[in-house]
Amino acid sequence: MKRLALHWQIMIGLVLGAIWAIISSYLGWSEFTIDWIKPWGDIFIRILKLIAVPLVLLSIINGISNLTDVSKLGRLGVKTLGFYVVTTVIAVSIGLGLVNSFQPGNKVDPGKKKEMIANFERNLEGSDISQKLADKKSDAQKMKEGGPMQFIVDLFPQNIFFSLTNNILMLQVIVFSILFGIGLTLIPPEKGKPVKAFMEGANEVILKLVELVMNAAPFFVFALLAGIMAKMAGNDPGLLVDIFAGLSWYALTVVVGLLILILVVYPTIIQLLVRPLNYRSFFKGIGQAQIVAFSTSSSAATLPVTMDCVKDRLGVSKDITSFVLPVGATVNMDGTSLYQGITAVFLAQFFGYDLSLGQQLTIVFTATLASIGAPAVPSAGLVMLIIVLESVGLPAAWIGLIFPIDRPLDMLRTVVNVTGDATAASVIAQSEGEIRGINS
Ligand code: ASP
């Protein structure tokens, strides 16, 4: 009998995970799910993160040391960053267009609104939320301190071992790898040869690990989703419904925005600009990465799978994959910037503040920067939202209102972030004549 394709198996794992969580919540088994099933999901995320850093390091060094023409590096850099900034600004603008037309903050029933605000204020006092908020605020503060050049300064590691051991410092690992790769091309070939051979071999090992772990992905994804949902609902499934009720218009606006990106913007770009692909083959090729993004909520953890799909299934060259995707995982977050634009305006509407056109333009600017600066980990977009809110004089504490619904939205925006990275890699590969087309 023919075996079901892996992406279908993973999809089935995802659906079964959700079904399991609902049943176990009804039967009062959530604790069992959290104690015995969720840990397998945690292990999956750990393995992916474990693979991501050496993969970025080795693939960039390999890619650069094999470049015959070093000026290509500068060209790729300009194209990649240009594409990322343009799509991010498009995403925030779509978000702002939607939130201003849907007005989700004005659609909440006044009685429900009062209840939500009272709930939010009660929860805020001395609770878990206020602690989390304080932590998140200080994270965002740290990123905001320093002059206008701080972002550039922070790209450069002072100790590569420190950067390698800190998952949010991926950009520093990328800078080190680029420098090392350039150095390797400049030394005499006989000295560089053993270093290159080692890097190539080690890279193969890491790629093999990605393949192995993906074979077990259906089970891991089941565990991840069951664990996440069981944690959200506990033994009271009605809680999930309650959480969504007051915020449903807001959530719907975000979902519509994300769907526009995924079903209209990216397919149009692919259809118009990338000849060897059409939107169908594109989605078929990156399906696995999208499901892993959905279940892990982390573009960084998904990176090994994204690289695998884009290189092997979309047929993008190694050079492009190993440069564009690691940079994209941290820098390019269209889903996050769209979400930040919508959320800032939603909160202003909810609490009765009118935002001027100037303030909305400020949101476009800060949401673009905040999504670039957000690390590719769960909830990063929420943390950076503090900066967006403060840029237009709104209180950061308001994010407490949307805390409860952040995880499902995070899962969805991470899918968009990863799809945006794959789109960029395909477009840039096409412009360099380095895409072969679908290979499933
Ligand atoms: N979780 C998202 C990502 O890794 C970032 C975010 O929170 O929006 O892409």
Side-chain angles (χ1 to χ4, degrees):
M1 202 173 69
K2 205 171 151 240
R3 226 171 125 211
L4 205 58
L6 188 59
H7 59 271
W8 287 116
Q9 293 182 31
I10 300 177
M11 190 65 107
I12 292 170
L14 192 81
V15 174
L16 289 182
I19 295 176
W20 172 269
I22 294 169
I23 295 178
S24 76
S25 170
Y26 269 110
L27 297 177
W29 292 351
S30 286
E31 221 160 283
F32 171 84
T33 308
I34 292 171
D35 286 347
W36 295 100
I37 297 184
K38 182 175 171 290
W40 294 102
D42 297 340
I43 291 175
F44 184 48
I45 297 195
R46 284 188 180 212
I47 300 178
L48 287 174
K49 283 188 176 162
L50 173 74
I51 294 174
V53 174
L55 180 64
V56 168
L57 183 82
L58 294 166
S59 60
I60 294 186
I61 294 178
N62 262 326
I64 292 185
S65 64
N66 287 331
L67 283 182
T68 37
D69 159 22
V70 182
S71 70
K72 182 176 171 190
L73 186 62
R75 202 170 64 233
L76 281 184
V78 171
K79 283 186 189 171
T80 306
L81 293 181
F83 188 90
Y84 286 161
V85 171
V86 171
T87 49
T88 306
V89 172
I90 293 177
V92 202
S93 311
I94 293 176
L96 288 185
L98 285 173
V99 71
N100 283 301
S101 11
F102 277 27
Q103 303 267 338
N106 298 326
K107 284 213 168 66
V108 186
D109 168 73
K112 182 95 198 152
K113 194 180 229 180
K114 260 202 190 139
E115 194 188 306
M116 284 167 75
I117 295 181
N119 233 335
F120 156 63
E121 279 167 358
R122 204 171 330 113
N123 283 342
L124 209 59
E125 285 161 21
S127 69
D128 195 30
I129 289 194
S130 74
Q131 186 49 46
K132 278 192 195 152
L133 190 68
D135 292 350
K136 294 197 185 294
K137 213 171 156 181
S138 75
D139 284 355
Q141 198 61 34
K142 261 185 241 144
M143 302 209 188
K144 218 171 59 175
E145 275 162 13
M149 284 282 290
Q150 195 57 41
F151 176 65
I152 311 277
V153 174
D154 286 340
L155 289 177
F156 294 88
Q158 16 186 353
N159 180 340
I160 188 55
F161 295 100
F162 180 73
S163 318
L164 287 173
T165 51
N166 203 330
N167 268 329
I168 63 167
L169 295 178
M170 190 77 99
L171 282 178
Q172 296 194 346
V173 175
I174 294 175
V175 169
F176 169 78
S177 315
I178 293 176
L179 293 176
F180 194 95
I182 293 176
L184 197 51
T185 58
L186 298 177
I187 59 174
E190 70 281 5
K191 295 244 163 68
K193 216 168 152 200
V195 184
K196 270 189 173 181
F198 171 78
M199 296 284 173
E200 261 167 35
N203 200 24
E204 286 298 318
V205 174
I206 296 289
L207 292 175
K208 195 70 197 167
L209 291 183
V210 177
E211 209 183 295
L212 290 180
V213 72
M214 281 315 287
N215 282 327
F219 167 67
F220 282 137
V221 165
F222 161 81
L224 253 179
L225 212 76
I228 291 167
M229 287 184 60
K231 257 200 118 175
M232 280 201 296
N235 285 333
D236 176 8
L239 207 66
L240 273 185
V241 180
D242 257 7
I243 289 177
F244 286 98
L247 295 168
S248 53
W249 273 101
Y250 156 69
L252 188 73
T253 314
V254 176
V255 171
V256 170
L258 296 176
L259 284 177
I260 293 180
L261 284 176
I262 240 178
L263 298 180
V264 182
V265 177
Y266 299 138
T268 311
I269 297 178
I270 293 290
Q271 208 72 28
L272 292 179
L273 300 181
V274 188
R275 243 163 293 125
L277 296 177
N278 58 34
Y279 71 94
R280 264 197 225 183
S281 50
F282 174 74
F283 282 118
K284 200 167 162 215
I286 61 160
Q288 278 179 22
Q290 288 178 316
I291 302 175
V292 173
F294 181 78
S295 42
T296 60
S297 277
S298 165
S299 315
T302 314
L303 185 60
V305 189
T306 322
M307 289 176 74
D308 189 54
C309 289
V310 170
K311 184 165 73 58
D312 290 346
R313 311 196 70 204
L314 300 185
V316 169
S317 73
K318 233 160 125 186
D319 282 3
I320 309 266
T321 314
S322 55
F323 180 75
V324 176
L325 292 176
V327 174
T330 16
V331 165
N332 184 42
M333 296 193 182
D334 300 341
T336 301
S337 64
L338 173 132
Y339 146 88
Q340 287 174 332
I342 293 181
T343 310
V345 179
F346 162 75
L347 289 171
Q349 290 168 353
F350 186 92
F351 287 98
Y353 278 73
D354 262 341
L355 290 174
S356 66
L357 184 66
Q359 281 174 309
Q360 301 230 10
L361 288 177
T362 309
I363 291 180
V364 174
F365 184 67
T366 43
T368 302
L369 290 185
S371 68
I372 290 176
V377 295
S379 280
L382 183 72
V383 176
M384 299 304 276
L385 183 63
I386 294 176
I387 295 179
V388 181
L389 288 175
E390 289 187 337
S391 73
V392 284
L394 301 176
W398 284 358
I399 63 167
L401 191 81
I402 47 149
F403 256 168
I405 204 183
D406 189 57
R407 185 67 196 221
L409 294 182
D410 192 5
M411 295 161 87
L412 293 173
R413 63 185 188 252
T414 308
V415 174
V416 172
N417 292 346
V418 165
T419 309
D421 297 341
T423 308
S426 311
V427 171
I428 293 165
Q430 166 80 48
S431 75
E432 295 282 325
E434 293 187 32
I435 182 165
R436 204 182 50 237
I438 193 77
N439 180 15
S440 55

